[in-house]
Amino acid sequence: MTEYTQLQQIRLQKIEELRTQGINPYPTRAERTHTSLQAIAALEAAPEGEPVPATLAGRIRATRPMGKLSFAHIEDGAGKIQLFFRINELGQEKVDFFNKMFDLGDFIQAEGLMMRTRTGEPTLQVTDFRMLAKAVSPLPADKDVEQPDGTIKRYAALEDPELRARQRYADLAVNPQVRETFRKRAAIIKALRNFLDSNDFLEVETPILQPLYGGAAARPFTTHHNELEQDMYLRISFELYLKRLLVGNLERVYEIGRDFRNEGVSYKHNPEFTQLEFYAAYFDYLKVMDLTEAMIGHVCDAVFGSRKFTFEKEPGKVYELDFTSWRRLEMRQGILETSGIDIAEHPTAESLFQAIVTRHPQAKPDPTVTRGKLIDFLLGEFLEPTLIQPTFLYDYPRDISPLAKPKPGDPLTVERFEGYAAGFELCNAFTELNDPLDQEQRFLDMQEDYDDDEEEKNPLDEDYLRAMRYGMPPNGGFGMGIDRLTMLLTNNRSIREVLLFPASRNEA
RNA sequence: GGGCGCGUAGCUCAACGGCAGAGCAGUGGCCUUUUAAGCCAUUGGUUCUGGGUUCGAAUCCCAGCGCGCUCACCA
């Protein structure tokens, strides 16, 4: 049984009072002729003295009752506008009715003529109004006050990150900049689609519920299909299904959707996240690099009209990011410059481990892992934090890249690159391995490398190998976290700020 | 998982071993161009939960729950 606060009980009484007066506090239909901004524009466009009738609908955000008149601000999807209730037009009874029965947060429909107040503010002088939806709970915010210089000053607001995420509806209702972030997010995704569509990519949908998982090194979520009597997994990547489509002569495909990884939660990790992957026949990783640069540039232009962004990674740590052109840095070179170790001189895990602990006694690499994982350690420890400006880091160790094609003449290295900005990984791409015999061997190697970790070990996907044996064109593939891109472009330092409903524990 | 920090009214926060408070929101009153409207009055608390120390705990200690930051993990 819901327990209501005193504030809520007062509003419940008002709902009852409305019903006893024969007024439905939640009517089925609503009317409006203008949004707030349309009404203001209509007033500005109309000749002096010509009446501008309008019917508006929105949520009450502020009221200023003054006895024989009353002002209110309502907010709709477009913006805010002031309402003016006066006994001259409405009579004392209706003004009292408004003051008594309407609260902050209620949705109201108001009809009247547009006017300007003494201070010049475009305002609807109300001749009739009605309740559209009564709010039981007050919105958790006080007031936004627009200062003379046009900035918004907030006197008190919903700020607790937990509450804001758990009650995103309330966060969105009271924090306009949060709405803006999610509009930007939608625009980013739309721009990505536009770009890929206009480059002859076909948007496809592949299974989220899979009998086997693969395409990334991550622990999956497991579920069960009752009728099929088999366990299923939520996908950890799209890769293996999208590449099956290349076998089927779909030359350029992409998918935007959700991946699920049963791993830690952090400022840049959420258990489900939105991924873009594309694959293009006859591309190699250099062509993918060019396309990526063009694609991100297109998103910047289309959504923001600029390729320069300010990103505050930590309080006071502000970066100016420029996505006009990406630096291209060979991983070996980057690691050499930042750690002083040349990985090419250490072809075995043992040799590389010794080099690391000798040169960096304070570093704590895991002595049991492969050479590739040690290189990844060097990358994360020394190189990654320095990759502030957009950078393509290329040529990765083979053993941590089981789906990438070897670099000709270099058996330890594959044609793979990752895009970095502001010190974190944004995307991952490679020249895709299309040799079914090599692919099978890689799967088998993985079984050994991940011997200690049953779940993170990619299961051997026989059907994928069967597909590849029919012939897969040479191709380049790409994956990018949309959430991280949105973080960078909207200056949000936590992934939770760009997810409408980030993962949370059950409420106690 | 480790470390640090936080949890007090609807919201934002004080009080830090001695009567649980403020602003806004709410309620009642005055007020015909306000815009943080103003003025007067006033309601509202399991101080996250459970133990403990103490004459006395929001405050100190222990445990738990939740969250934040950070480290680890994370192709």
Side-chain angles (χ1 to χ4, degrees):
Chain A
M1 192 62 188
T2 309
E3 287 187 23
Y4 291 102
T5 65
Q6 192 179 30
L7 270 62
Q8 291 173 319
Q9 285 173 14
I10 288 163
R11 289 174 178 227
L12 290 172
Q13 285 164 15
K14 292 181 183 181
I15 288 173
E16 279 314 299
E17 174 61 23
L18 287 171
R19 290 195 198 280
T20 58
Q21 290 181 29
I23 297 167
N24 182 356
Y26 302 99
T28 305
R29 309 202 195 288
E31 307 289 338
R32 79 166 163 189
T33 61
H34 298 69
T35 66
S36 56
L37 296 189
Q38 287 167 346
I40 292 166
L43 175 69
E44 281 163 358
E48 187 76 25
E50 182 169 307
V52 179
T55 301
L56 305 176
R59 167 181 261 143
I60 299 173
R61 292 306 309 278
T63 58
R64 292 178 291 280
M66 303 181 65
K68 294 201 164 31
L69 57 89
S70 211
F71 288 96
H73 268 98
I74 62 168
E75 185 170 30
D76 62 18
K80 287 187 183 181
I81 190 167
Q82 181 167 256
L83 305 183
F84 182 29
F85 301 80
R86 196 165 68 149
I87 56 165
N88 307 42
E89 289 76 28
L90 288 162
Q92 186 70 54
E93 211 171 288
K94 281 196 163 181
V95 174
D96 287 344
F97 177 70
F98 174 76
N99 289 340
K100 203 172 174 56
M101 302 305 288
F102 284 68
D103 292 301
L104 302 188
D106 294 351
F107 284 87
I108 187 175
Q109 176 182 319
E111 181 180 347
L113 294 176
M114 290 300 295
M115 58 165 283
R116 285 183 189 279
T117 61
R118 199 170 282 170
T119 57
E121 177 166 351
T123 298
L124 185 75
Q125 181 152 307
V126 177
T127 54
D128 198 11
F129 64 93
R130 67 187 185 110
M131 183 72 78
L132 288 184
K134 184 76 189 161
V136 173
S137 303
L139 284 171
D142 289 343
K143 287 174 181 162
D144 289 346
V145 180
E146 191 166 350
Q147 304 295 292
D149 63 3
T151 59
I152 301 289
K153 182 168 182 184
R154 162 145 304 163
Y155 287 86
L158 183 65
E159 286 177 345
D160 177 22
E162 179 191 357
L163 264 184
R164 287 185 43 232
R166 284 189 191 276
Q167 299 191 30
R168 186 66 84 193
Y169 33 87
D171 186 32
L172 288 163
V174 304
N175 289 322
Q177 76 280 11
V178 176
R179 292 200 291 269
E180 191 52 31
T181 293
F182 289 102
R183 288 203 182 94
K184 286 283 195 294
R185 182 185 166 115
I188 288 166
I189 292 172
K190 184 179 282 185
L192 289 168
R193 277 208 169 89
N194 285 343
F195 180 87
L196 290 166
D197 291 344
S198 64
N199 278 279
D200 297 323
F201 281 82
L202 180 72
E203 182 169 13
V204 298
E205 293 172 279
T206 60
I208 292 172
L209 210 51
Q210 304 181 345
L212 286 175
Y213 58 94
R219 291 181 182 77
F221 287 92
T222 307
T223 185
H224 185 78
H225 191 291
N226 292 337
E227 192 63 27
L228 298 180
E229 291 184 342
Q230 71 176 42
D231 286 340
M232 307 280 280
Y233 304 95
L234 300 185
R235 67 180 170 192
I236 58 173
S237 86
F238 318 158
E239 174 148 3
L240 299 184
Y241 279 95
L242 290 179
K243 276 163 36 185
R244 282 170 167 93
L245 300 178
L246 297 189
V247 172
N249 274 19
L250 296 175
E251 291 190 341
R252 296 185 183 186
V253 294
Y254 77 97
E255 179 165 6
I256 293 174
R258 214 67 67 86
D259 268 343
F260 305 85
R261 296 185 183 177
N262 203 342
E263 291 177 344
V265 176
S266 79
Y267 74 95
K268 55 181 175 180
H269 296 91
N270 194 67
E272 56 179 300
F273 60 99
T274 300
Q275 182 92 343
L276 162 69
E277 289 191 25
F278 69 71
Y279 294 83
Y282 316 119
F283 273 43
D284 61 13
Y285 74 149
L286 295 174
K287 286 181 183 169
V288 173
M289 239 183 251
D290 292 340
L291 193 71
T292 302
E293 196 171 77
M295 180 172 70
I296 305 276
H298 170 78
V299 170
C300 294
D301 294 346
V303 181
F304 300 91
S306 166
R307 296 194 179 189
K308 295 190 169 77
F309 293 81
T310 299
F311 185 73
E312 187 172 13
K313 193 175 186 189
E314 296 163 30
K317 204 167 174 180
V318 180
Y319 299 132
E320 301 294 332
L321 304 178
D322 186 346
F323 288 93
T324 305
S325 69
W326 293 59
R327 180 186 174 207
R328 300 187 182 198
L329 177 65
E330 188 189 3
M331 179 194 266
R332 174 189 166 193
Q333 187 63 28
I335 288 178
L336 177 60
E337 285 170 8
T338 53
S339 75
I341 293 171
D342 186 351
I343 54 174
E345 291 176 4
H346 303 282
T348 66
E350 294 70 25
S351 158
L352 184 56
F353 179 81
Q354 279 310 318
I356 295 172
V357 295
T358 304
R359 178 127 197 160
H360 300 283
Q362 78 290 354
K364 294 275 179 286
D366 183 342
T368 67
V369 299
T370 63
R371 175 175 180 271
K373 286 218 159 189
L374 287 172
I375 292 171
D376 198 44
F377 171 84
L378 287 171
L379 165 63
E381 199 76 4
F382 298 100
L383 179 53
E384 192 176 75
T386 71
L387 300 177
I388 303 305
Q389 285 308 315
T391 301
F392 293 130
L393 193 65
Y394 64 91
D395 287 355
Y396 274 63
R398 179 181 186 274
D399 74 79
I400 58 169
S401 313
L403 302 164
K405 205 165 191 171
K407 199 173 167 64
D410 184 352
L412 290 179
T413 306
V414 293
E415 291 196 348
R416 171 179 173 186
F417 76 87
E418 292 191 336
Y420 285 84
F424 63 67
E425 180 193 337
L426 185 62
C427 58
N428 181 20
F430 27 90
T431 305
E432 302 290 337
L433 182 56
N434 65 338
D435 172 345
L437 303 180
D438 190 359
Q439 185 66 75
E440 183 166 13
Q441 189 55 49
R442 301 286 197 94
F443 276 141
L444 295 173
D445 291 347
M446 289 301 281
Q447 304 295 309
E448 285 182 27
D449 290 347
Y450 284 95
D451 211 21
D452 56 328
D453 191 333
E454 204 47 47
E455 276 201 306
E456 200 166 320
K457 176 163 64 181
N458 270 248
L460 197 154
D461 192 332
E462 287 288 1
D463 179 71
Y464 178 63
L465 291 172
R466 178 169 65 188
M468 199 180 281
R469 289 186 198 112
Y470 282 115
M472 178 186 288
N475 70 94
F478 172 90
M480 176 171 68
I482 303 274
D483 314 287
R484 289 188 184 177
L485 178 66
T486 304
M487 287 167 64
L488 282 176
L489 301 187
T490 61
N491 191 20
N492 279 296
R493 73 174 73 99
S494 169
I495 197 169
R496 298 172 66 86
E497 294 291 329
V498 300
L499 294 167
L500 282 168
F501 299 101
S504 286
R505 264 181 235 275
N506 280 335
E507 290 186 69

